[in-house]
Short mmCIF file of all heavy atoms in Angstrom, two decimals:
data_model
loop_
_atom_site.label_atom_id
_atom_site.label_comp_id
_atom_site.label_asym_id
_atom_site.label_seq_id
_atom_site.Cartn_x
_atom_site.Cartn_y
_atom_site.Cartn_z
N LYS Z 61 -16.17 -6.15 15.15
CA LYS Z 61 -17.53 -6.72 14.83
C LYS Z 61 -17.37 -8.19 14.46
O LYS Z 61 -18.09 -9.04 14.98
CB LYS Z 61 -18.25 -5.98 13.76
CG LYS Z 61 -18.70 -4.64 14.17
CD LYS Z 61 -19.50 -3.91 13.05
CE LYS Z 61 -19.95 -2.52 13.44
NZ LYS Z 61 -20.87 -1.93 12.38
N GLN Z 62 -16.47 -8.46 13.52
CA GLN Z 62 -16.36 -9.81 13.03
C GLN Z 62 -14.96 -10.00 12.27
O GLN Z 62 -14.42 -8.96 11.86
CB GLN Z 62 -17.49 -10.21 12.27
CG GLN Z 62 -18.05 -11.63 12.53
CD GLN Z 62 -19.37 -11.88 11.87
OE1 GLN Z 62 -20.25 -10.95 11.90
NE2 GLN Z 62 -19.62 -13.01 11.52
N LYS Z 63 -14.67 -11.23 11.99
CA LYS Z 63 -13.46 -11.45 11.08
C LYS Z 63 -13.92 -11.86 9.73
O LYS Z 63 -14.89 -12.58 9.54
CB LYS Z 63 -12.63 -12.55 11.75
CG LYS Z 63 -11.32 -12.86 11.04
CD LYS Z 63 -10.49 -13.95 11.71
CE LYS Z 63 -9.77 -13.35 12.86
NZ LYS Z 63 -8.76 -14.19 13.45
N LEU Z 64 -13.12 -11.41 8.78
CA LEU Z 64 -13.35 -11.73 7.38
C LEU Z 64 -12.08 -12.28 6.75
O LEU Z 64 -10.96 -12.07 7.27
CB LEU Z 64 -13.62 -10.47 6.48
CG LEU Z 64 -14.82 -9.59 6.81
CD1 LEU Z 64 -14.81 -8.31 6.11
CD2 LEU Z 64 -16.13 -10.36 6.65
N TYR Z 65 -12.20 -13.21 5.74
CA TYR Z 65 -11.11 -13.64 5.00
C TYR Z 65 -11.35 -13.32 3.50
O TYR Z 65 -12.44 -13.33 3.13
CB TYR Z 65 -10.62 -14.99 5.34
CG TYR Z 65 -11.45 -16.05 4.64
CD1 TYR Z 65 -11.01 -16.72 3.37
CD2 TYR Z 65 -12.56 -16.61 5.26
CE1 TYR Z 65 -11.80 -17.62 2.82
CE2 TYR Z 65 -13.33 -17.62 4.56
CZ TYR Z 65 -12.93 -18.09 3.42
OH TYR Z 65 -13.65 -19.07 2.78
N VAL Z 66 -10.21 -13.13 2.82
CA VAL Z 66 -10.24 -12.75 1.36
C VAL Z 66 -10.58 -14.02 0.60
O VAL Z 66 -9.59 -14.91 0.58
CB VAL Z 66 -9.05 -11.97 0.99
CG1 VAL Z 66 -9.18 -11.60 -0.54
CG2 VAL Z 66 -9.01 -10.70 1.77
N LYS Z 67 -11.59 -14.09 -0.07
CA LYS Z 67 -11.91 -15.29 -0.84
C LYS Z 67 -11.41 -15.10 -2.30
O LYS Z 67 -10.92 -16.00 -3.01
CB LYS Z 67 -13.39 -15.52 -0.94
CG LYS Z 67 -13.96 -16.64 -1.79
CD LYS Z 67 -15.34 -16.77 -1.67
CE LYS Z 67 -15.88 -17.95 -2.56
NZ LYS Z 67 -17.41 -17.90 -2.48
N GLU Z 68 -11.51 -13.84 -2.83
CA GLU Z 68 -11.12 -13.59 -4.20
C GLU Z 68 -10.61 -12.19 -4.28
O GLU Z 68 -11.23 -11.32 -3.67
CB GLU Z 68 -12.42 -13.76 -5.05
CG GLU Z 68 -12.10 -14.01 -6.51
CD GLU Z 68 -13.36 -14.32 -7.31
OE1 GLU Z 68 -14.23 -15.18 -6.89
OE2 GLU Z 68 -13.47 -13.67 -8.40
N VAL Z 69 -9.50 -11.96 -5.08
CA VAL Z 69 -8.95 -10.71 -5.21
C VAL Z 69 -9.10 -10.15 -6.56
O VAL Z 69 -8.74 -10.84 -7.57
CB VAL Z 69 -7.41 -10.68 -4.76
CG1 VAL Z 69 -6.77 -9.30 -4.93
CG2 VAL Z 69 -7.24 -11.15 -3.41
N ARG Z 70 -9.60 -8.94 -6.75
CA ARG Z 70 -9.72 -8.30 -8.02
C ARG Z 70 -8.71 -7.12 -7.94
O ARG Z 70 -8.18 -6.84 -6.99
CB ARG Z 70 -11.09 -7.80 -8.33
CG ARG Z 70 -12.22 -8.84 -8.18
CD ARG Z 70 -12.20 -9.74 -9.51
NE ARG Z 70 -13.02 -10.90 -9.34
CZ ARG Z 70 -14.34 -10.98 -9.53
NH1 ARG Z 70 -14.99 -9.92 -10.05
NH2 ARG Z 70 -15.05 -12.08 -9.46
N GLN Z 71 -8.61 -6.42 -9.06
CA GLN Z 71 -7.65 -5.34 -9.14
C GLN Z 71 -8.00 -4.20 -8.09
O GLN Z 71 -7.05 -3.75 -7.39
CB GLN Z 71 -7.56 -4.70 -10.56
CG GLN Z 71 -6.52 -3.71 -10.72
CD GLN Z 71 -6.40 -3.13 -12.10
OE1 GLN Z 71 -6.97 -3.61 -13.03
NE2 GLN Z 71 -5.53 -2.14 -12.35
N LYS Z 72 -9.16 -3.74 -8.01
CA LYS Z 72 -9.57 -2.56 -7.17
C LYS Z 72 -10.36 -2.97 -6.11
O LYS Z 72 -10.55 -2.07 -5.08
CB LYS Z 72 -10.36 -1.59 -8.09
CG LYS Z 72 -9.75 -1.14 -9.34
CD LYS Z 72 -8.81 0.03 -8.88
CE LYS Z 72 -8.17 0.65 -10.18
NZ LYS Z 72 -7.20 1.62 -9.94
N TYR Z 73 -10.80 -4.16 -5.84
CA TYR Z 73 -11.54 -4.64 -4.70
C TYR Z 73 -11.49 -6.12 -4.45
O TYR Z 73 -10.80 -6.83 -5.18
CB TYR Z 73 -13.05 -4.39 -4.87
CG TYR Z 73 -13.79 -5.19 -5.88
CD1 TYR Z 73 -14.42 -6.32 -5.76
CD2 TYR Z 73 -13.71 -4.79 -7.34
CE1 TYR Z 73 -15.06 -7.09 -6.65
CE2 TYR Z 73 -14.28 -5.57 -8.28
CZ TYR Z 73 -14.94 -6.60 -7.87
OH TYR Z 73 -15.60 -7.37 -8.91
N SER Z 74 -11.85 -6.45 -3.21
CA SER Z 74 -11.69 -7.95 -2.90
C SER Z 74 -13.10 -8.58 -2.41
O SER Z 74 -13.95 -7.77 -1.83
CB SER Z 74 -10.71 -8.14 -1.86
OG SER Z 74 -9.43 -7.77 -2.34
N ILE Z 75 -13.29 -9.78 -2.61
CA ILE Z 75 -14.56 -10.39 -2.06
C ILE Z 75 -14.06 -11.18 -0.86
O ILE Z 75 -13.16 -11.97 -0.84
CB ILE Z 75 -15.09 -11.46 -3.04
CG1 ILE Z 75 -15.40 -10.73 -4.36
CG2 ILE Z 75 -16.29 -12.13 -2.60
CD1 ILE Z 75 -15.78 -11.66 -5.58
N CYS Z 76 -14.80 -10.84 0.23
CA CYS Z 76 -14.53 -11.33 1.49
C CYS Z 76 -15.63 -12.15 2.11
O CYS Z 76 -16.79 -11.73 1.86
CB CYS Z 76 -14.14 -10.21 2.50
SG CYS Z 76 -12.69 -9.26 2.00
N VAL Z 77 -15.27 -13.15 2.94
CA VAL Z 77 -16.38 -14.00 3.51
C VAL Z 77 -16.16 -14.06 5.07
O VAL Z 77 -15.02 -14.06 5.58
CB VAL Z 77 -16.25 -15.44 2.86
CG1 VAL Z 77 -17.35 -16.26 3.46
CG2 VAL Z 77 -16.41 -15.39 1.46
N SER Z 78 -17.25 -14.09 5.73
CA SER Z 78 -17.08 -14.27 7.24
C SER Z 78 -16.41 -15.55 7.54
O SER Z 78 -16.66 -16.54 6.80
CB SER Z 78 -18.48 -14.11 7.94
OG SER Z 78 -19.30 -15.09 7.46
N LYS Z 79 -15.80 -15.56 8.68
CA LYS Z 79 -15.07 -16.74 9.04
C LYS Z 79 -15.64 -17.30 10.40
O LYS Z 79 -15.64 -16.62 11.29
CB LYS Z 79 -13.54 -16.45 9.30
CG LYS Z 79 -12.75 -17.69 9.41
CD LYS Z 79 -11.24 -17.24 9.33
CE LYS Z 79 -10.34 -18.56 9.26
NZ LYS Z 79 -9.03 -18.16 8.94
N TYR Z 80 -16.14 -18.52 10.35
CA TYR Z 80 -16.71 -19.08 11.49
C TYR Z 80 -15.97 -20.45 11.90
O TYR Z 80 -15.43 -21.03 11.05
CB TYR Z 80 -18.17 -19.57 11.33
CG TYR Z 80 -19.08 -18.35 11.09
CD1 TYR Z 80 -19.37 -17.97 9.79
CD2 TYR Z 80 -19.59 -17.61 12.19
CE1 TYR Z 80 -20.25 -16.91 9.60
CE2 TYR Z 80 -20.50 -16.57 11.94
CZ TYR Z 80 -20.79 -16.18 10.62
OH TYR Z 80 -21.60 -15.14 10.49
N LYS Z 81 -15.92 -20.66 13.25
CA LYS Z 81 -15.41 -21.96 13.70
C LYS Z 81 -16.62 -22.82 13.91
O LYS Z 81 -17.54 -22.42 14.55
CB LYS Z 81 -14.51 -21.80 14.91
CG LYS Z 81 -13.20 -21.04 14.72
CD LYS Z 81 -12.41 -21.08 16.01
CE LYS Z 81 -11.03 -20.42 15.62
NZ LYS Z 81 -10.34 -20.31 16.87
N ALA Z 82 -16.55 -24.04 13.43
CA ALA Z 82 -17.73 -24.90 13.63
C ALA Z 82 -17.08 -26.31 14.11
O ALA Z 82 -16.05 -26.83 13.77
CB ALA Z 82 -18.49 -25.08 12.41
N SER Z 83 -17.96 -27.00 14.81
CA SER Z 83 -17.60 -28.28 15.33
C SER Z 83 -18.69 -29.23 14.82
O SER Z 83 -19.81 -29.00 14.88
CB SER Z 83 -17.53 -28.33 16.84
OG SER Z 83 -16.59 -27.51 17.34
N PHE Z 84 -18.20 -30.41 14.40
CA PHE Z 84 -19.13 -31.44 13.74
C PHE Z 84 -18.92 -32.68 14.46
O PHE Z 84 -17.73 -33.14 14.88
CB PHE Z 84 -18.86 -31.64 12.22
CG PHE Z 84 -19.09 -30.34 11.53
CD1 PHE Z 84 -17.87 -29.48 11.10
CD2 PHE Z 84 -20.39 -30.02 10.99
CE1 PHE Z 84 -18.19 -28.34 10.37
CE2 PHE Z 84 -20.53 -28.89 10.22
CZ PHE Z 84 -19.42 -28.08 9.96
N VAL Z 85 -20.04 -33.38 14.65
CA VAL Z 85 -19.96 -34.71 15.31
C VAL Z 85 -19.98 -35.73 14.20
O VAL Z 85 -20.97 -35.77 13.36
CB VAL Z 85 -21.18 -34.95 16.21
CG1 VAL Z 85 -21.07 -36.37 16.82
CG2 VAL Z 85 -21.19 -33.84 17.36
N GLY Z 86 -19.01 -36.63 14.10
CA GLY Z 86 -18.92 -37.53 12.99
C GLY Z 86 -18.72 -38.92 13.56
O GLY Z 86 -19.46 -39.35 14.39
N ALA Z 87 -17.70 -39.54 13.07
CA ALA Z 87 -17.50 -40.90 13.55
C ALA Z 87 -17.20 -40.96 15.01
O ALA Z 87 -17.36 -42.08 15.65
CB ALA Z 87 -16.22 -41.45 12.77
N SER Z 88 -16.72 -39.99 15.68
CA SER Z 88 -16.51 -39.93 17.10
C SER Z 88 -17.90 -40.18 17.89
O SER Z 88 -17.69 -40.68 19.07
CB SER Z 88 -15.89 -38.63 17.56
OG SER Z 88 -16.77 -37.60 17.39
N LEU Z 89 -19.04 -39.97 17.35
CA LEU Z 89 -20.20 -40.17 18.18
C LEU Z 89 -20.39 -41.65 18.40
O LEU Z 89 -20.68 -42.07 19.53
CB LEU Z 89 -21.38 -39.76 17.22
CG LEU Z 89 -22.82 -40.00 17.84
CD1 LEU Z 89 -22.87 -39.26 19.31
CD2 LEU Z 89 -23.90 -39.54 17.06
N ALA Z 90 -19.99 -42.53 17.57
CA ALA Z 90 -20.15 -43.95 17.73
C ALA Z 90 -19.15 -44.44 18.91
O ALA Z 90 -19.42 -45.18 19.70
CB ALA Z 90 -19.79 -44.78 16.47
N SER Z 91 -17.85 -43.84 18.77
CA SER Z 91 -16.95 -44.23 19.84
C SER Z 91 -17.37 -43.67 21.21
O SER Z 91 -17.15 -44.30 22.18
CB SER Z 91 -15.47 -43.71 19.52
OG SER Z 91 -15.58 -42.31 19.40
N MET Z 92 -18.12 -42.58 21.21
CA MET Z 92 -18.59 -41.98 22.51
C MET Z 92 -19.70 -42.94 23.08
O MET Z 92 -19.68 -43.15 24.31
CB MET Z 92 -19.22 -40.58 22.35
CG MET Z 92 -18.18 -39.46 22.13
SD MET Z 92 -18.83 -37.94 21.61
CE MET Z 92 -20.08 -37.65 22.81
N VAL Z 93 -20.44 -43.47 22.19
CA VAL Z 93 -21.56 -44.40 22.72
C VAL Z 93 -20.91 -45.61 23.22
O VAL Z 93 -21.18 -46.19 24.30
CB VAL Z 93 -22.53 -44.76 21.59
CG1 VAL Z 93 -23.48 -45.83 21.97
CG2 VAL Z 93 -23.30 -43.45 21.20
N ILE Z 94 -19.89 -46.22 22.42
CA ILE Z 94 -19.26 -47.51 22.77
C ILE Z 94 -18.56 -47.29 24.05
O ILE Z 94 -18.43 -48.16 25.01
CB ILE Z 94 -18.40 -47.94 21.71
CG1 ILE Z 94 -19.23 -48.38 20.47
CG2 ILE Z 94 -17.42 -49.03 22.15
CD1 ILE Z 94 -18.40 -48.59 19.20
N ASN Z 95 -17.89 -46.12 24.26
CA ASN Z 95 -17.07 -45.89 25.48
C ASN Z 95 -17.87 -45.12 26.57
O ASN Z 95 -17.29 -44.38 27.30
CB ASN Z 95 -15.82 -45.09 25.04
CG ASN Z 95 -14.95 -45.88 24.12
OD1 ASN Z 95 -14.72 -47.12 24.37
ND2 ASN Z 95 -14.33 -45.11 23.12
N SER Z 96 -19.13 -45.21 26.57
CA SER Z 96 -19.96 -44.52 27.63
C SER Z 96 -19.60 -45.14 28.85
O SER Z 96 -18.85 -46.05 29.13
CB SER Z 96 -21.38 -44.66 27.25
OG SER Z 96 -21.79 -46.00 27.55
N ALA Z 97 -20.06 -44.37 29.96
CA ALA Z 97 -19.61 -44.63 31.42
C ALA Z 97 -19.86 -46.05 31.73
O ALA Z 97 -19.13 -46.60 32.51
CB ALA Z 97 -20.44 -43.78 32.39
N SER Z 98 -20.85 -46.77 31.24
CA SER Z 98 -21.09 -48.21 31.68
C SER Z 98 -19.93 -49.07 31.16
O SER Z 98 -19.85 -50.14 31.66
CB SER Z 98 -22.47 -48.67 31.12
OG SER Z 98 -22.48 -48.50 29.68
N PHE Z 99 -19.13 -48.64 30.21
CA PHE Z 99 -18.14 -49.47 29.70
C PHE Z 99 -16.78 -49.14 30.15
O PHE Z 99 -15.79 -49.75 29.76
CB PHE Z 99 -18.12 -49.43 28.11
CG PHE Z 99 -19.32 -50.07 27.53
CD1 PHE Z 99 -20.39 -49.26 27.06
CD2 PHE Z 99 -19.44 -51.41 27.35
CE1 PHE Z 99 -21.48 -49.73 26.54
CE2 PHE Z 99 -20.59 -51.97 26.74
CZ PHE Z 99 -21.63 -51.11 26.35
N ILE Z 100 -16.64 -47.98 31.07
CA ILE Z 100 -15.36 -47.59 31.43
C ILE Z 100 -14.80 -48.62 32.46
O ILE Z 100 -15.56 -49.00 33.40
CB ILE Z 100 -15.42 -46.20 31.88
CG1 ILE Z 100 -15.68 -45.27 30.85
CG2 ILE Z 100 -14.10 -45.79 32.64
CD1 ILE Z 100 -15.98 -43.80 31.27
#
Side-chain angles (χ1 to χ4, degrees):
K61 289 184 178 182
Q62 222 163 326
K63 185 178 278 191
L64 301 171
Y65 77 93
V66 179
K67 179 180 177 183
E68 199 174 316
V69 181
R70 304 285 171 87
Q71 185 177 354
K72 302 277 185 190
Y73 68 94
S74 296
I75 301 168
C76 299
V77 181
S78 61
K79 189 170 190 174
Y80 294 97
K81 289 184 179 177
S83 299
F84 298 94
V85 177
S88 62
L89 180 60
S91 64
M92 286 171 48
V93 171
I94 292 169
N95 295 321
S96 67
S98 61
F99 293 100
I100 295 174

